[in-house]
Amino acid sequence: SQQGEEDPQALSIQEGENATMNCSYKTSINNLQWYRQNSGRGLVHLILIRSNEREKHSGRLRVTLDTSKKSSSLLITASRAADTASYFCATGGDYKLSFGAGTTVTVRA
Amino acid sequence: GAVVSQHPSWVICKSGTSVKIECRSLDFQATTMFWYRQFPKQSLMLMATSNEGSKATYEQGVEKDKFLINHASLTLSTLTVTSAHPEDSSFYICSARDTGLSNQPQHFGDGTRLSIL
């Protein structure tokens, strides 16, 4: 079943701009994960943030986690055309994952 | 890094055919693998959890006789769509997690595009 909502559903930005997307979840978590999916492909893991962490960075990606609000955000800085993809948050710890609805990001050259 | 190989990447076949999809963890062992289904422009929906050496656990609404899962080794799970019909056309994705590690992400195959004519 779907764990929660992501917003926005779709985002179109100019190359070089930042992209921010949000994810909300319903149950308590051990960690929250962000994945990217290029059209017609599988999912690529981006970042895992543990429940006791508030912020995490990986290259141009920044993830925040607010367990009191049961929400997380993913920021992509200085976007590139290659960042065009769908982004999903997922929760579930070491067991099965529940995915958000996803945000489709289009980066215009 | 951990790699999951899924095969085939796409299948086109006639209605009534059974189709087998393989999911392999290439450099780690996975006692548990997961099978998802994804419709266009939608999120992933978990179909079943594949357990090595025992029966799969199916999500509510998923027909176990329609979607046969076998997890015979620590590196291979198979999903067989039996007597496939056009409504079974979808994108099927498997994932696996390294059994020996906790609090780690799952690794996904590249998916199988199934088209039933």
Side-chain angles (χ1 to χ4, degrees):
Chain A
S1 61
Q2 296 295 310
Q3 171 66 294
E5 297 295 321
E6 287 183 60
D7 76 273
Q9 289 187 343
L11 185 58
S12 180
I13 56 174
Q14 200 72 34
E15 204 165 25
E17 294 180 339
N18 297 341
T20 300
M21 59 211 85
N22 304 294
C23 162
S24 62
Y25 57 92
K26 297 176 181 175
T27 61
S28 60
I29 60 171
N30 291 325
N31 62 61
L32 185 142
Q33 304 172 38
W34 283 92
Y35 290 84
R36 184 187 74 227
Q37 183 181 34
N38 290 91
S39 181
R41 303 295 298 274
L43 274 67
V44 173
H45 175 255
L46 298 177
I47 288 184
L48 180 151
I49 185 165
R50 294 177 171 76
S51 59
N52 61 353
E53 297 176 308
R54 291 297 167 259
E55 188 171 309
K56 202 162 184 179
H57 296 254
S58 176
R60 295 183 295 111
L61 304 180
R62 184 179 80 121
V63 166
T64 63
L65 179 64
D66 187 335
T67 54
S68 66
K69 295 181 180 179
K70 290 187 168 57
S71 68
S72 176
S73 68
L74 170 67
L75 167 68
I76 305 172
T77 60
S79 63
R80 305 168 181 169
D83 295 327
T84 294
S86 292
Y87 293 82
F88 296 92
C89 67
T91 58
D94 286 349
Y95 196 50
K96 58 186 179 181
L97 294 178
S98 292
F99 286 87
T103 296
T104 299
V105 175
T106 303
V107 181
R108 306 186 305 273
Chain B
V3 176
V4 171
S5 174
Q6 188 172 340
H7 178 82
S9 56
W10 58 272
V11 181
I12 302 174
C13 59
K14 293 181 180 179
S15 187
T17 306
S18 292
V19 179
K20 179 186 283 189
I21 303 169
E22 292 188 350
C23 181
R24 294 180 185 272
S25 56
L26 296 187
D27 53 358
F28 64 97
Q29 294 185 333
T31 54
T32 305
M33 293 185 178
F34 305 91
W35 288 96
Y36 297 85
R37 184 172 181 175
Q38 185 180 33
F39 291 105
K41 299 188 186 303
Q42 294 188 23
S43 188
L44 280 73
M45 295 298 295
L46 180 67
M47 298 175 65
T49 302
S50 173
N51 304 299
E52 186 267 334
S54 65
K55 292 181 180 179
T57 305
Y58 290 82
E59 295 299 301
Q60 192 172 6
V62 178
E63 300 176 57
K64 59 181 66 176
D65 294 330
K66 175 74 169 178
F67 300 100
L68 300 180
I69 291 172
N70 183 274
H71 194 151
S73 77
L74 287 172
T75 59
L76 173 64
S77 174
T78 60
L79 168 68
T80 301
V81 184
T82 62
S83 187
H85 289 94
E87 59 266 27
D88 298 322
S89 298
S90 189
F91 192 56
Y92 294 86
I93 309 176
C94 70
S95 73
R97 188 182 61 79
D98 191 326
T99 302
L101 303 173
S102 63
N103 233 352
Q104 294 295 312
Q106 289 187 18
H107 302 281
F108 286 78
D110 251 353
T112 297
R113 175 77 56 195
L114 178 61
S115 296
I116 308 299
L117 305 177

